[in-house]
């Protein structure tokens, strides 16, 4: 088995020498075989071994004895061992987690802290070929994506270094035969014999049936996992290139958007992965339960006939189709967000701050100026002072030079292709008679053509840089 281990380490390029390895050891046959094997390797290679064992405190004195057994074994080999206890019960109650998830969270947190303490380059875990089969089948049973079938990688980044799994090329039967042959003692967790947990159900009922039909199942699955991981690595590299080319990010507002036409010019496998890269960016790599249904909704947005369509995602994230763009943005927790703000008095001179942080600044001018889209110079005899700034009202209309009659603000928004989510907070300047003077940045009203006074009110919309 030592030869199998060495071949797998070389094939997968698991670690560079010299190095410090932190071994996660539970006391079971798998991790005890791992410890024994690496103790032998350390006599021939420049590697320094450290061990961590974690007591989840779920079986009282029995689990404490597991940790003590590992500690004593390490002492007999002259290897430093850290015995860490974690309070799974309190943690799962605090965060509403299942036992298995809570155990994993706390165990890996302990691993991370011990890696830093020991300045270890690698965390070595005892997952074997049968664990790989269980993991891939469990994922396949609940997640409908190719990525779900990747299985556990032989190496992956973790904390300040990497996790490596050198026993993935070895079966559980081979490990049990090894510890028996070498006379290595171990501790057996009785819950591993139960079928209460999903993994144990796969382990004791489903996998034996599959192995009956394919005794070489572990090699088949490992080859599949490796092939899929290599393919996925290539696709992810290409997807990141697409992400950088196609997606426009607003880091301040936590918004991502892209052109539908440009996005669809790439292959669907890359589109799928960029969708998840966008979610990873906006969710800040936090684990959020996004299903294939959400992915299906994402692609359905491309074909939506309406110009403004939105779909809710977990964590108050929205996907929106805004004309020829797709946008991702978070909804605000602020209960006042969906309400129009009260009219704000715009003194002359003076300024008001709008919801988006931009400002409207007013002053007096002696002649007509300000032809830019973000400025407006209003002859004072055409408005009734004072001026106010507010949000659009239902059915509100306005007019401007050259227009016969009036037009609804809602129609102007549509004509100007203003996203629906922006319209309710769009700033509107009105006079004391509540007539629309300026739909800021879009349309400027004119109520008279006989200019008898050229004194003007100059308004500038100053945006946030």
């Amino acid at each position: 088995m030592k030869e199998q281990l060495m071949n797998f380490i070389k094939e997968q390029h698991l670690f560079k020498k010299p190095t410090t390895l932190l071994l996660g050891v539970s006391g079971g046959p798998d991790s005890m075989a791992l410890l024994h094997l690496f103790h032998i390797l350390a006599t021939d290679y420049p590697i320094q071994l450290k061990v961590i064992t974690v007591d989840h405190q779920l079986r009282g004195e029995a689990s404490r004895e597991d940790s003590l057994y590992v500690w004593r074994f390490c002492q007999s080999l002259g290897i430093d061992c850290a015995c860490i206890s974690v309070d799974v019960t309190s943690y799962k109650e605090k965060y509403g987690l299942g036992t298995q998830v809570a155990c994993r969270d706390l165990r890996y947190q302990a691993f991370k802290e011990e890696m830093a303490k020991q300045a270890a380059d690698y965390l070595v875990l005892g997952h074997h070929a049968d664990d790989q089969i269980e993991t891939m089948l469990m994922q396949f049973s609940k997640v409908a994506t190719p990525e779900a079938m990747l299985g556990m990688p032989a190496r992956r980044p973790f904390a300040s270094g990497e996790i490596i799994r050198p026993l993935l090329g070895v079966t559980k039967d081979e490990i049990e035969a090894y510890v028996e042959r070498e006379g290595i003692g171990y501790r057996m967790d009785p819950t591993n014999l139960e079928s209460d947990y999903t993994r144990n159900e796969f382990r004791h009922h489903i996998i034996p049936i599959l192995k009956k039909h394919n005794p070489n199942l572990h090699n088949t699955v490992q080859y599949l996992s490796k092939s899929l991981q290599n393919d996925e690595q290539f696709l992810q590299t290409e997807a990141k290139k697409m992400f950088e080319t196609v997606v426009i990010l607003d880091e301040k507002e936590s918004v991502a958007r892209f052109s539908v036409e440009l996005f669809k010019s790439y292959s669907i496998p890359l589109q799928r992965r960029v969708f998840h890269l966008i979610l990873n960016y906006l969710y800040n790599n936090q684990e959020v339960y996004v299903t294939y249904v959400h992915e299906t909704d994402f692609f359905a947005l491309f074909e939506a006939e309406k110009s403004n369509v939105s779909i809710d995602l977990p964590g108050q994230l929205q996907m929106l189709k805004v004309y020829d763009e797709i946008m991702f943005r978070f909804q605000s927790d602020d209960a006042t967000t969906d309400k129009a703000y009260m009219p704000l008095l715009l003194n002359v001179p003076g300024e008001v701050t709008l919801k988006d942080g931009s400002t409207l600044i007013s002053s007096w001018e002696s002649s007509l100026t300000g032809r830019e889209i973000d400025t407006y110079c209003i002859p004072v005899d055409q408005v009734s002072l004072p001026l106010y700034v507010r949000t659009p009202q239902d059915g509100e209309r306005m007019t401007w030079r050259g227009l016969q009659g009036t037009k609804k603000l809602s129609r102007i928004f549509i004509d100007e292709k203003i996203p629906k989510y922006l319209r309710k907070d769009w700033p509107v300047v009105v006079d004391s008679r509540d007539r629309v003077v300026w739909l800021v940045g879009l349309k400027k009203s004119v109520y008279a053509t006989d200019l008898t006074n050229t004194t003007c009110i100059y308004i500038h919309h100053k945006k946030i840089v």
Side-chain angles (χ1 to χ4, degrees):
M1 191 162 142
K2 177 185 174 183
E3 185 176 349
Q4 283 178 274
L5 177 69
M6 287 304 304
N7 288 339
F8 191 82
I9 289 173
K10 291 177 181 178
E11 176 189 333
Q12 300 290 332
H13 307 287
L14 290 191
F15 60 84
K16 298 177 181 179
K17 303 180 286 289
T19 188
T20 298
L21 305 173
L22 176 66
L23 279 61
V25 181
S26 66
D30 311 332
S31 61
M32 293 303 293
L34 179 76
L35 175 55
H36 188 267
L37 283 163
F38 269 83
H39 175 62
I40 295 173
L41 290 182
T43 61
D44 299 324
Y45 293 93
I47 56 176
Q48 185 176 12
L49 301 183
K50 304 289 183 179
V51 170
I52 179 173
T53 183
V54 180
D55 176 9
H56 300 98
Q57 302 188 78
L58 295 177
R59 294 180 293 111
E61 188 63 24
S63 60
R64 181 173 176 274
E65 283 298 323
D66 291 347
S67 289
L68 286 175
Y69 178 81
V70 173
W71 183 81
R72 294 188 189 106
F73 193 89
C74 289
Q75 289 292 102
S76 69
L77 300 178
I79 299 173
D80 291 338
C81 177
C83 297
I84 308 297
S85 295
V86 294
D87 188 350
V88 173
T89 302
S90 297
Y91 183 81
K92 63 184 285 190
E93 290 176 357
K94 180 178 180 179
Y95 295 101
L97 301 172
T99 301
Q100 296 290 72
V101 174
C103 285
R104 186 186 187 281
D105 284 356
L106 290 175
R107 185 167 62 250
Y108 275 78
Q109 180 61 36
F111 290 160
K112 181 179 179 180
E113 292 172 0
E114 191 64 21
M115 278 189 76
K117 182 178 178 181
Q118 299 293 346
D121 304 305
Y122 301 92
L123 170 65
V124 189
L125 300 179
H127 297 114
H128 49 71
D130 290 76
D131 291 327
Q132 184 74 292
I133 298 171
E134 294 166 11
T135 298
M136 293 177 70
L137 288 177
M138 287 170 61
Q139 285 291 90
F140 177 70
S141 70
K142 62 183 180 181
V143 183
T145 63
E147 294 84 353
M149 291 297 293
L150 294 178
M152 294 179 288
R155 56 183 293 186
R156 73 169 177 86
F158 176 74
S160 57
E162 293 185 56
I163 287 176
I164 60 173
R165 298 182 173 92
L167 296 184
L168 283 182
V170 182
T171 67
K172 187 169 185 64
D173 288 343
E174 290 172 323
I175 290 173
E176 291 177 347
Y178 177 78
V179 296
E180 182 70 25
R181 183 171 63 252
E182 298 294 328
I184 303 169
Y186 57 85
R187 301 278 295 182
M188 183 59 70
D189 183 346
T191 61
N192 288 336
L193 302 176
E194 301 172 359
S195 296
D196 296 340
Y197 298 126
T198 302
R199 182 175 289 275
N200 287 341
E201 189 175 23
F202 275 85
R203 178 178 300 166
H204 300 303
H205 300 292
I206 298 174
I207 292 176
I209 296 174
L210 296 176
K211 282 190 171 183
K212 180 180 178 181
H213 293 279
N214 179 9
N216 199 38
L217 182 65
H218 62 283
N219 286 330
T220 302
V221 167
Q222 185 58 30
Y223 180 81
L224 173 62
S225 174
K226 183 179 178 181
S227 298
L228 290 175
Q229 288 174 24
N230 288 339
D231 291 349
E232 183 62 22
Q233 185 177 23
F234 170 76
L235 288 170
Q236 284 293 342
T237 298
E238 295 303 305
K240 289 175 182 176
K241 293 178 183 177
M242 175 184 167
F243 180 91
E244 293 171 357
T245 301
V246 171
V247 181
I248 300 171
L249 301 174
D250 184 337
E251 297 182 10
K252 185 173 183 179
E253 299 294 331
S254 294
V255 171
R257 58 187 176 88
F258 58 79
S259 159
V260 172
E261 182 179 358
L262 179 58
F263 194 89
K264 290 177 70 174
S265 68
Y266 289 81
S267 66
I268 289 178
L270 294 183
Q271 293 178 27
R272 284 185 52 255
R273 285 162 176 81
V274 170
F275 167 65
H276 289 284
L277 287 176
I278 291 172
L279 297 186
N280 289 341
Y281 169 79
L282 294 175
Y283 287 131
N284 197 23
N285 292 314
Q286 296 179 1
E287 291 188 13
V288 178
Y289 190 58
V290 177
T291 70
Y292 72 92
V293 175
H294 297 122
E295 189 176 286
T296 301
D297 290 341
F298 169 69
F299 283 107
L301 266 185
F302 293 168
E303 312 305 327
E305 294 183 1
K306 293 183 178 180
S307 299
N308 284 272
V309 184
S310 66
I311 295 174
D312 291 336
L313 292 171
Q316 293 190 301
L317 185 63
Q318 277 189 322
M319 295 187 294
L320 306 93
K321 182 182 181 185
V322 183
Y323 297 99
D324 59 350
E325 282 194 337
I326 298 292
M327 176 179 290
F328 293 76
R329 62 187 288 269
F330 286 100
Q331 301 178 75
S332 173
D333 289 328
D334 188 351
T336 65
T337 297
D338 295 329
K339 299 179 181 179
Y341 49 80
M342 298 298 291
L344 304 172
L345 177 64
L346 178 59
N347 290 313
V348 184
E351 67 178 72
V352 294
T353 301
L354 306 179
K355 279 189 175 183
D356 63 359
S358 64
T359 55
L360 286 176
I361 304 170
S362 67
S363 61
W364 294 106
E365 294 288 339
S366 60
S367 61
L368 288 171
T369 59
R371 302 292 183 180
E372 297 82 7
I373 194 170
D374 59 351
T375 63
Y376 189 18
C377 198
I378 312 166
V380 71
D381 63 347
Q382 293 188 17
V383 293
S384 299
L385 297 178
L387 299 179
Y388 296 90
V389 184
R390 59 168 171 76
T391 49
Q393 307 298 305
D394 291 341
E396 192 164 32
R397 310 178 76 94
M398 70 177 294
T399 188
W400 57 89
R401 190 183 300 279
L403 177 68
Q404 299 297 317
T406 60
K407 180 177 283 191
K408 285 187 175 181
L409 301 194
S410 58
R411 185 70 249 179
I412 298 173
F413 287 135
I414 293 172
D415 293 344
E416 298 291 335
K417 294 187 176 182
I418 301 302
K420 194 172 184 179
Y421 74 93
L422 293 177
R423 299 173 190 174
K424 62 184 176 60
D425 289 331
W426 202 272
V428 180
V429 178
V430 298
D431 66 7
S432 64
R433 294 165 59 186
D434 207 31
R435 298 180 303 177
V436 176
V437 174
W438 186 20
L439 185 57
V440 177
L442 297 179
K443 294 294 180 182
K444 303 173 182 179
S445 295
V446 175
Y447 289 101
T449 56
D450 181 17
L451 303 180
T452 58
N453 192 327
T454 58
T455 301
C456 298
I457 301 170
Y458 178 82
I459 307 175
H460 171 56
H461 182 212
K462 184 178 182 182
K463 298 180 181 179
I464 301 176
V465 179

